[in-house]
Amino acid sequence: GCSGADPLECMRQKPLVELIDSAADGASFNVIVDGSFMPEQPRALFDRGEIAEVPYILGSTTDEGSAWTLDATDITNDVQYLEALRQRFTEPVDPILELYPASKYAETKNPYQTAIARAWGDARLVCPTYDVAVRALARQLPVFMYNFDIPIDDVIGAAHASELLVLFGTSMMFTPQSRLVGERMQKYWTNFAKTGDPNGGDLLAWPKLSSSADVRINFGIDSTIVPDFRGPECAFWRARFDAAFNAP
């Protein structure tokens, strides 16, 4: 409702709740190509090599979508779940339902909320991050990927940005075990800042992403190396990204 002569002034008059509700629809989180600061879609810039040719650390968390789908707690059946998908995604949503059936998360507290959180998180954060990694790799740049897998609590799990609290040592809920994880992460990031490679000392070897090996480090209480993280899901979403990007 703010497309008139002075949209900024119109937005300044809106109640905060209305702005937040609008942002939750997802439209305001898109990249804005303004011809100046952002001259073109990042995908196009990556593919032409018009980027900073530097090493990359890229990653995400296990429960990226949880904080944005807390309103899905009252979903109790497939009909409601399908409607919730339609509210968040463009059609067709049936393939999303097939890829993220609630039955897949039957062991969780609320399978429907978990399913929609996983779908939203993969679509908006996990798989776009992997897409950037693949495009950086195509420019022959070193790419190191991670997943963060230490839950904040039993409601939002390992939510978006939760790794930053551990990495920077600012978590209010540190346990002795998670503090050790943070110290390991700090060593990796410090090595990376110094040399462009996070490895060194007695740290578990963090392999580079390569065209033949989709691997990343998983930061749980114990660090492990994970192959093909969300492979089928990201193949699905990247195909949808391609279709949207190439649409007239």
Side-chain angles (χ1 to χ4, degrees), residues 118-193:
R118 181 63 58 84
W120 200 100
D122 286 354
R124 292 303 182 105
L125 294 158
V126 175
C127 299
T129 300
Y130 179 65
D131 189 71
V132 171
V134 171
R135 293 173 190 282
L137 182 65
R139 306 308 304 179
Q140 299 183 332
L141 300 174
V143 180
F144 299 88
M145 297 206 72
Y146 71 85
N147 178 63
F148 184 78
D149 193 33
I150 298 178
I152 293 177
D153 56 33
D154 60 358
V155 176
I156 59 175
H160 177 65
S162 57
E163 77 271 38
L164 301 182
L165 302 176
V166 176
L167 174 61
F168 290 105
T170 57
S171 175
M172 300 296 290
M173 294 176 284
F174 267 129
T175 65
Q177 293 85 1
S178 61
R179 188 174 295 280
L180 290 175
V181 176
E183 291 173 357
R184 289 201 302 271
M185 293 175 70
Q186 290 169 4
K187 290 179 181 178
Y188 281 119
W189 261 256
T190 301
N191 290 339
F192 182 80

Side-chain angles (χ1 to χ4, degrees), residues 87-133:
Q87 291 175 3
R88 287 170 168 82
F89 298 101
T90 58
E91 294 285 357
V93 297
D94 286 340
I96 304 174
L97 181 63
E98 293 175 10
L99 188 60
Y100 297 92
S103 59
K104 191 174 181 179
Y105 311 98
E107 76 286 356
T108 64
K109 184 177 180 180
N110 186 328
Y112 288 104
Q113 182 185 6
T114 303
I116 200 165
R118 181 63 58 84
W120 200 100
D122 286 354
R124 292 303 182 105
L125 294 158
V126 175
C127 299
T129 300
Y130 179 65
D131 189 71
V132 171

Side-chain angles (χ1 to χ4, degrees), residues 40 43-51 139:
E40 200 169 341
R43 264 189 161 214
L45 298 174
F46 264 92
D47 291 347
R48 289 205 305 269
E50 296 178 14
I51 57 172
R139 306 308 304 179

Side-chain angles (χ1 to χ4, degrees), residues 58-100:
L58 293 167
S60 50
T61 68
T62 297
D63 304 301
E64 283 284 1
S66 61
W68 283 277
T69 53
L70 292 174
D71 61 336
T73 55
D74 58 348
I75 299 176
T76 59
N77 58 60
D78 288 343
V79 174
Q80 293 174 336
Y81 179 38
L82 184 60
E83 180 58 29
L85 289 174
R86 289 193 173 115
Q87 291 175 3
R88 287 170 168 82
F89 298 101
T90 58
E91 294 285 357
V93 297
D94 286 340
I96 304 174
L97 181 63
E98 293 175 10
L99 188 60
Y100 297 92

